[in-house]
């Protein structure tokens, strides 16, 4: 089977009258259906730019992005962008409304996800009544409601406190696996990437190039947030990737 996402020699330059910024240089990789791939790289290296070209919102300056699916776009960001004046129910319909797909069937599916992932009792509450982790879960359900095949997550857990982040990142990985989606997460957090991914792609500092690709096999089932981190292989992956990241402070 063909990979669901294929990037070949993708470069992106941002041009303004004052200057040219090279953000991505010759990026090539592919992602298989059902895979959870993380992309790590130093801050400012071009990670968000990479997701923008995969989503089709930004055209590469050269190279090609091929998506073998007709409903790719499911974006999750650092901020959950839930609307405070709408109930959780009306928030999770938002993506459907925007895409003009607010049918009875799709609403039922959105409610099924609320039920399945423990938010049904919060359906009529407002976002301010939910914890940070629950809000992020609601944001994921809003994204899943539109049935995207590929989810793009941009530092989706970075705004949460440490404990919540451990718990939610793992939970969201489990939901994405259960729903059989493909996910591409960009993050600057090596531990997060190693603990929830099938593969980790390491980018260089700007302009981002692919430095290495690691297949992660922690030999645990990864059901709980601490499983992965307790694997003896966890620190080996962490140290290897840490050495490759150009972090200068
Ligand atoms: P990251 O997500 O890894 O922090 P970004 O992809 O946001 O990095 O940015 C990579 C580089 O491209 C940065 O130097 C940033 O300032 C620049 N950049 C990002 N977006 C734009 C834009 N719309 N116009 C010009 N430069 C941009
Ligand atoms: Mg970014």
């Amino acid at each position: 089977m063909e990979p669901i996402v294929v990037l070949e020699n993708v470069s992106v330059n941002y041009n303004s009258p004052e200057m040219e910024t090279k953000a991505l240089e010759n990026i090539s990789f592919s992602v298989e259906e059902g895979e959870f791939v993380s992309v790590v790289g130093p801050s400012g290296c071009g990670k968000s730019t990479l997701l923008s070209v995969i989503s089709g919102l930004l055209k590469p300056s050269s190279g090609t992005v091929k998506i073998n699916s007709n409903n790719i776009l499911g974006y999750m960001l650092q901020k959950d962008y839930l609307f405070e004046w709408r109930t959780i129910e009306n928030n999770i319909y938002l993506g459907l409304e925007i895409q003009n797909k607010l049918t009875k069937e799709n609403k039922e599916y959105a409610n099924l996800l609320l039920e399945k992932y423990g938010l049904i009792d919060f359906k009529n509450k407002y976002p301010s009544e939910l914890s940070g982790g629950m809000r992020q879960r609601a944001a994921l359900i809003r994204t899943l409601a539109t049935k995207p095949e590929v989810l793009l997550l941009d530092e989706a857990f970075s705004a949460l406190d440490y404990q919540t982040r451990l718990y939610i990142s793992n939970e969201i990985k489990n939901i994405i696996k259960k729903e059989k989606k493909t996910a591409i997460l960009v993050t600057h957090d090596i531990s997060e990437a190693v603990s929830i991914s099938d593969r980790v792609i390491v980018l260089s500092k700007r302009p981002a190039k692919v430095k290495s690709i690691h297949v992660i096999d922690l030999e645990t089932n990864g059901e709980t947030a601490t499983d992965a981190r307790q694997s003896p292989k966890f620190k080996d992956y962490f140290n290897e990737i840490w050495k490759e990241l150009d972090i200068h402070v």
Side-chain angles (χ1 to χ4, degrees):
M1 208 162 49
E2 256 187 295
I4 194 159
V5 176
V6 183
L7 279 78
E8 271 173 4
N9 298 315
V10 171
S11 297
V12 171
N13 305 322
Y14 289 111
N15 293 306
S16 74
E18 302 82 48
M19 63 167 189
E20 181 179 339
T21 306
K22 279 186 125 187
L24 305 180
E25 192 171 291
N26 270 318
I27 305 260
S28 300
F29 65 84
S30 52
V31 177
E32 302 293 329
E33 203 175 327
E35 244 194 323
F36 197 116
V37 171
S38 289
V39 178
V40 298
S43 175
C45 78
K47 298 184 294 299
S48 295
T49 302
L50 180 65
L51 286 192
S52 298
V53 290
I54 295 173
S55 73
L57 293 170
L58 182 69
K59 267 196 150 8
S61 311
S62 62
T64 57
V65 177
K66 197 170 161 218
I67 311 290
N68 294 311
S69 152
N70 43 25
N71 185 18
I72 178 181
L73 201 60
Y75 238 116
M76 247 184 103
L77 303 162
Q78 183 171 349
K79 218 179 148 299
D80 57 45
Y81 292 104
L82 294 176
F83 288 129
E84 301 297 340
W85 62 90
R86 284 181 162 227
T87 61
I88 294 305
E89 177 178 24
N90 286 323
N91 265 291
I92 62 160
Y93 294 158
L94 197 71
L96 292 170
E97 275 173 43
I98 293 169
Q99 295 186 12
N100 224 340
K101 294 199 292 204
L102 196 60
T103 60
K104 182 166 166 282
E105 192 195 355
N106 286 336
K107 280 165 95 168
E108 275 170 13
Y109 176 63
N111 278 278
L112 184 82
L113 291 170
L114 278 184
E115 174 94 58
K116 205 163 160 190
Y117 300 117
L119 285 178
I120 198 77
D121 294 340
F122 296 86
K123 186 172 161 166
N124 298 316
K125 303 249 187 260
Y126 289 88
S128 62
E129 301 174 89
L130 271 63
S131 67
M134 288 165 96
R135 292 180 62 122
Q136 204 56 305
R137 222 183 310 151
L140 175 68
I141 290 172
R142 181 181 56 195
T143 307
L144 289 173
T146 63
K147 301 185 178 159
E149 284 178 53
V150 182
L151 291 155
L152 304 175
L153 302 103
D154 194 347
E155 308 264 4
F157 314 115
S158 302
L160 302 167
D161 66 72
Y162 183 71
Q163 282 86 337
T164 309
R165 200 163 84 218
L166 286 194
Y167 180 77
I168 286 296
S169 58
N170 191 68
E171 189 178 65
I172 285 189
K173 183 246 343 190
N174 287 340
I175 295 175
I176 288 173
K177 285 283 180 193
K178 220 173 269 172
E179 299 299 320
K180 299 194 177 2
K181 305 292 181 185
T182 306
I184 304 174
L185 165 74
V186 306
T187 177
H188 61 268
D189 186 332
I190 304 172
S191 313
E192 180 177 289
V194 171
S195 66
I196 63 180
S197 310
D198 299 312
R199 272 193 302 153
V200 176
I201 298 174
V202 183
L203 299 181
S204 69
K205 60 181 192 291
R206 195 178 63 79
K209 295 178 273 304
V210 174
K211 273 202 128 170
S212 61
I213 299 182
H214 300 258
V215 175
I216 307 294
D217 181 8
L218 294 169
E219 296 163 357
T220 73
N221 62 15
E223 264 300 309
T224 76
T226 50
D227 280 353
R229 286 172 167 80
Q230 277 160 5
S231 158
K233 292 174 83 182
F234 180 85
K235 70 172 194 317
D236 298 336
Y237 286 120
F238 181 95
N239 290 334
E240 222 174 297
I241 295 171
W242 171 259
K243 273 188 260 156
E244 289 169 8
L245 274 190
D246 287 307
I247 296 179
H248 301 287
V249 288

